[in-house]
Structures are given as C-alpha cells and as structure tokens.
Amino acid sequence: MLLIHCPYCDETLPELEFTYGGEAHIARPENPADKTDDEWRDFLFIRTNVKGPHFERWRHAHGCGRFFNAVRDTVSDRFLTTYKAGEPRPDLAVLLEDAAKKEPSK
Amino acid sequence: MTHFSALSLLKNALTGQKNWQEQWPDSQPKAEYDVVIVGAGGHGLGAAYYLAKEHGITNVAVIDKGWLGGGNTGRNTTIIRSNYLYDESARLYDHAVDLWEGLSQDLNYNVMFSRRGVLMLAHNVHDVQSFQRHIHSNRLNGVDNRWLTPQEAKEFCPPLNISPNARYPVVGAALQMRAGTARHDAVAWGYARGASQRGVDIIQNCPVTAIRRGPDGAVEGVETAKGFIRAKKVAVSAAGHTSVVMETAGVRMPLESYPLQALVSEPVKPIFPCVVMSNTVHAYISQSDKGELVIGSGTDQYTSYSQRGGLPLIEHTVAAICEIFPIFNRMRMLRKWGGIVDVTPDRSPILGMTPVPGLYVNCGWGTGGFKATPGAAHTLAWTVAKGTPHDINAPFTLDRFRTGRLIDEAAAAAVAH
C-alpha cells in the first residue's frame, strides 16, 4: 500500500483515499485549431512512461477532492515529493539528492 | 534434438531418465545477425520460430535481459479467448486461437491447450446488452460465442452462485467454447526449443541498452551488455519495457506501463471446470492442472515498473471472487506476483512496422497478451520477413494514433481486459 502525502490536507494517507490522474504538466493547447495531427497525437496519446522519477497527478478523491502533483520513482514506487497543482515542476536533481540523504547508509 | 513421443518416453524410462538432451543451448552472441529480436517471451521466441520455420530466416538472435519466459509469459493467468468486439481484433485473436489448436503438434511440445470454455458473467442490464452485442458481432465474424441463462451457466459451471439474493446476481452469461487455457511456461519453452532446433540463438541475461541507427536513419543493430550486435532488422517484443527500448531508437510510444497482479490458491482436487470472468465485479478465475485456483483482475491504478503491485488490488480481487463463488471463502492463497503490462490508449496492440526502417514492434497488449502469442508471433514474423504488413496485423499500426483510426476495445469492454 502506498502512503501518499496530500499537500492540501498536509497529511500522509493510504493509497485507497487517492485516485491516480496520469502524467502531470501536460498543457492543453492554447490554439487547438492550429495543431497538426502529429501534435494532437503527442498531446493526446504519447506519454514519457519513464522508468525512474515520474511527474504525475493524483486526486485526493476520498478527502479534500483536489488534484495535486507528485514525483514518484516508478521502479521503487517511492514518492520523492508531492506539491500543489499549478506550482512549477520541482528540480529533480535536488529531490534526488534529498532522497539519497534520507536513505539509510548501506 | 530428441523428438518427443511415447517411444522416446519409454526409451528414457528404461535408461533411468539420464539421456535426455538439453533442449536449447544458452548461446553467446555473434557479431552479426539477419534479425535480432529483443525480448525472449512467448511473443519474441514465437516470432523467431516462425521466421525460421515459415520464412527460412534462421540467422536470428532472441535477446533477453533476464531469463527466457521470465516476464509476462510466466506471470499471466493463461486465459485464451477471441470474443473481441471489433472485426480487426476478432480476426487477430481468432487467428491466434486457430494456431493454439495445433500448437502442441506443431512444436512437438505439449503446451496443454485446454478448450474448457470461457464464461463471461452478466450482472446488470448494461452487461446483458453489451455481451449480446459482442455475441452478435462475434458470430458475424465466425467467432463462436453464445448466450446462456443463469441456469444454463450454473449447469456449465456448478460452483457458480446464481441466487437472486447475491450482491451481484448473475443474470446471464456469454460462453465461448473454443476458449480456454494453456500452460504458459511450456509455450515459451516449446517455441525456444523449436527455434533453437532451426538455428536461432537464444541469449539470456543480456540487457539491450540501446538500438543503434545509422546516418540514413535505418537500424544498424543493438547495443547490449555483451557488446554491439549488428543487424539490419530489429524487432522489439519487450512488453512493459517497450517504450524504454524504443526511446533509444528515438521513437516515442503511446504506451503506459502498469503492474498487473495475479495470485494462486493452495492446490485442491478438480472443482472448477472452466474459466469464469466477471467484468463488472472485476475478477477472473480458473483452475490449473496442478489444482491451484488461478485468480486475476485489473491493473493497479498507477504506472510502475516494480513487478509487484499493491495489496489493495489483491483484496479487491479476492473479495470479488468470494462474492461470485462463496464456496471459495475459506480457500488459502499461496502466492501473488506482478507483471508489467504496456497499455495503449485504445487497449489494442501495436504490431508491425515503425517509422524507422528495419525496426519492428510487437507491443501494447496490455492485460491480454498471452492469448495472442501464436497469432502475434506468426504475423510479426511475416512482417519482419517481407517488410510489409500482414493482412491481419495491418490495422494495428503505430500511425493510428495520428490518423485517429483507433480500434477502441477499451470502450467496447469498459474495463481493462
């Protein structure tokens, strides 16, 4: 069971309270009519599907009901951070450094 | 290579089972092949087998980062069926069922294909309408599928609870009699043996780190942990890791990788005669020949490469099984595991050519790739050998996500399948 920190409620709660919302920071095109077929494909269907730190959306469905963003490592499923919707993408290098510090020495 | 027969069994029994030959050697890579296949699961090994057998291309390597058949081929619930809604899917999956029927003889390897029937339960009006639509569509496509009343379903599968007081009452069912199960490991082993016999190299524990392209854009070969291997044709059949491999060739894929879990109970005597699926309650169950109940359901909600998945989904799955089959309430579960499945936006596979010359792909099977193994492998081998789409895999292009010509089985089933 994942434990997820809701940045609005400021509580760390079980996965069951949340629904996954797919990759984050995919902006809807400003002028849809100007987009080519290739650009529509990329917007609608192509995802990074990264093996490693993944920027993604979650919704606190059984809590405050709000969408927020998270960075989760898709290999270990460990969350590096969560942050409110609308906030800029956090710096990945800093996050990874912090995570390495917290990791117990092997 | 020993031909398996009653006679060879008897001969080896008399000599203390000490003279069986190795079924395939653990090969080391050569510098160059005509075709390199990335991923030694059923799909990849099958493609190598059909390349050698039907197209005479034997200078082929199948490369895997782990051991043969250790990915989704060894992690699925072994269900085989072809009752898909759309014409394109019905043809593809029914082609696979046609091949399943003769596979043990073709490979001289018992894949234990068992046509025990797949029963899909309807619990509400929507299910009834959707399944009857599927049945009509299937019959137009020559795919067997028929409608059963709850009593008929109970006769076919006696452990079924058809009480009207059930939380999810069974109001009918769709039955495909040609459908069933097969022994998943034997499929990988049988194809590996058949391919190896015809000269194919199977290279295990050798991750492919990148696909190398030349200045003209065409494929030149693959970088691996054991060095560069030259090949003018590369076919990627890497399931959940397809987008990672394809990215190295500069091709971004419309795929997301999710954990799909399954579990088995302790083995018991034969109790369960068929495969039962319930899309609404969302679980499916069958009994293996060893006696274990084999149980699965949908994917976890988040993308992951962890090959684990979370416990909430297992709880949900087991709760659904107990609801439909109260008889299994006190069964103990032995093991659970996860595989990483590559899911496309329309839940149909991507099979065949790519924009890169010499690069082919077989992916996007989502939660239902096992059933298609022979059909996918067979048509992929055709495409790799001839450099053109096969009549059956032609609609399953990568380009459909640009043109919008989707094969939307996701909407048709309304669940992962």
Side-chain angles (χ1 to χ4, degrees):
Chain A
M1 172 100 63
L2 303 181
L3 293 175
I4 304 174
H5 184 82
C6 172
Y8 295 102
C9 303
D10 198 20
E11 274 188 278
T12 301
L13 298 158
E15 174 192 341
L16 289 173
E17 293 204 13
F18 299 84
T19 46
Y20 181 65
E23 190 171 346
H25 300 291
I26 296 175
R28 191 176 284 269
E30 296 223 345
N31 298 305
D34 300 342
K35 293 284 164 189
T36 64
D37 286 355
D38 281 356
E39 286 167 326
W40 274 115
R41 173 199 59 203
D42 292 351
F43 167 67
L44 289 171
F45 299 129
I46 304 287
R47 297 293 176 263
T48 60
N49 198 26
V50 66
K51 186 174 183 179
H54 185 234
F55 292 85
E56 60 193 23
R57 302 191 304 166
W58 285 83
R59 180 169 176 252
H60 194 183
H62 297 289
C64 62
R66 301 180 76 171
F67 275 97
F68 60 91
N69 291 334
V71 186
R72 180 177 56 91
D73 187 326
T74 58
V75 178
S76 63
D77 289 337
R78 176 173 303 197
F79 282 86
L80 298 175
T81 187
T82 58
Y83 53 101
K84 291 175 183 171
E87 288 178 5
R89 219 182 252 261
D91 186 345
L92 204 51
V94 176
L95 285 178
L96 290 172
E97 210 171 285
D98 287 353
K101 270 183 217 155
K102 278 183 210 159
E103 192 83 7
S105 55
K106 284 173 191 157
Chain B
M1 185 73 59
T2 317
H3 183 81
F4 293 138
S5 64
L7 191 67
S8 70
L9 261 182
L10 188 66
K11 227 168 76 185
N12 280 284
L14 293 175
T15 54
Q17 314 287 2
K18 284 182 185 143
N19 296 321
W20 289 109
Q21 282 174 12
E22 188 182 46
Q23 295 193 38
W24 57 84
D26 200 10
S27 305
Q28 290 305 311
K30 293 192 285 191
E32 181 165 3
Y33 290 93
D34 293 340
V35 180
V36 163
I37 296 171
V38 183
H43 284 248
L45 293 164
Y49 172 77
Y50 291 116
L51 270 174
K53 180 173 174 251
E54 304 210 336
H55 305 283
I57 301 172
T58 56
N59 188 22
V60 177
V62 187
I63 307 178
D64 202 285
K65 72 183 167 98
W67 66 95
L68 170 171
N72 295 345
T73 299
R75 293 165 189 268
N76 62 78
T77 49
T78 79
I79 298 169
I80 293 163
R81 60 184 177 89
S82 61
N83 51 354
Y84 282 73
L85 181 67
Y86 292 110
D87 298 354
E88 297 90 342
S89 318
R91 289 182 66 207
L92 178 58
Y93 290 101
D94 218 40
H95 179 55
V97 172
D98 286 344
L99 290 167
W100 276 115
E101 289 186 328
L103 196 59
S104 293
Q105 283 72 27
D106 184 28
L107 294 174
N108 179 231
Y109 204 95
N110 188 3
V111 299
M112 296 165 78
F113 176 52
S114 154
R115 273 178 294 185
R116 59 184 65 186
V118 169
L119 193 67
M120 299 181 86
L121 302 179
H123 299 285
N124 53 41
V125 175
H126 170 81
D127 284 352
V128 173
Q129 290 172 345
S130 156
F131 287 2
Q132 291 192 342
R133 182 181 175 214
H134 272 74
I135 289 171
H136 293 316
S137 161
N138 287 161
R139 293 174 81 159
L140 285 172
N141 278 317
V143 175
D144 85 296
N145 201 359
R146 66 192 167 96
W147 181 252
L148 302 185
T149 63
Q151 288 71 28
E152 287 168 335
K154 172 91 180 163
E155 266 169 44
F156 187 73
C157 180
L160 192 62
N161 175 23
I162 57 165
S163 158
N165 300 323
R167 170 70 182 83
Y168 301 99
V170 174
V171 295
L175 172 64
Q176 185 179 23
M177 267 317 291
R178 264 181 99 203
T181 59
R183 166 103 168 88
H184 51 0
D185 294 330
V187 176
W189 298 337
Y191 275 131
R193 176 171 168 270
S196 172
Q197 202 171 5
R198 288 167 173 80
V200 171
D201 280 356
I202 298 163
I203 300 155
Q204 305 179 70
N205 298 310
C206 177
V208 168
T209 49
I211 294 170
R212 196 196 282 179
R213 293 172 65 181
D216 59 345
V219 164
E220 285 192 332
V222 292
E223 310 276 0
T224 75
K226 293 181 178 172
F228 178 66
I229 303 173
R230 194 170 290 281
K232 288 209 170 61
K233 289 181 174 182
V234 173
V236 177
S237 195
H241 280 75
T242 301
S243 49
V244 177
V245 176
M246 293 294 281
E247 182 96 54
T248 67
V251 183
R252 298 188 67 209
M253 299 297 287
L255 293 172
E256 288 191 291
S257 298
Y258 291 89
L260 177 65
Q261 301 184 72
L263 66 159
V264 292
S265 73
E266 58 190 338
V268 290
K269 288 195 172 174
I271 168 84
F272 205 74
C274 58
V275 180
V276 170
M277 309 182 68
S278 165
N279 288 353
T280 299
V281 189
H282 212 177
Y284 37 87
I285 180 169
S286 63
Q287 188 173 21
S288 75
D289 292 329
K290 265 194 289 184
E292 304 151 322
L293 296 177
V294 183
I295 297 167
S297 70
T299 65
D300 276 88
Q301 57 171 338
Y302 49 84
T303 60
S304 177
Y305 289 86
S306 69
Q307 287 194 327
R308 271 197 307 271
L311 209 53
L313 203 95
I314 294 292
E315 273 191 294
H316 164 85
T317 307
V318 173
I321 291 297
C322 291
E323 194 62 61
I324 312 167
F325 300 103
I327 187 177
F328 296 140
N329 253 328
R330 300 181 68 182
M331 287 287 285
R332 280 166 297 192
M333 296 299 144
L334 270 193
R335 293 179 287 128
K336 73 120 184 150
W337 62 90
I340 302 303
V341 300
D342 43 331
V343 178
T344 57
D346 64 357
R347 302 297 189 274
S348 286
I350 301 165
L351 182 54
M353 326 270 291
T354 70
V356 178
L359 184 61
Y360 303 85
V361 72
N362 172 15
C363 68
W365 291 95
T367 60
F370 177 72
K371 66 173 80 71
T373 305
H378 186 250
T379 61
L380 181 71
W382 167 289
T383 301
V384 172
K386 310 213 179 229
T388 58
H390 185 282
D391 195 28
I392 288 175
N393 71 26
F396 295 89
T397 60
L398 182 55
D399 200 42
R400 71 178 188 268
F401 298 98
R402 187 182 62 83
T403 61
R405 186 78 178 82
L406 303 181
I407 304 162
D408 204 352
E409 293 291 343
V415 292
H417 61 282

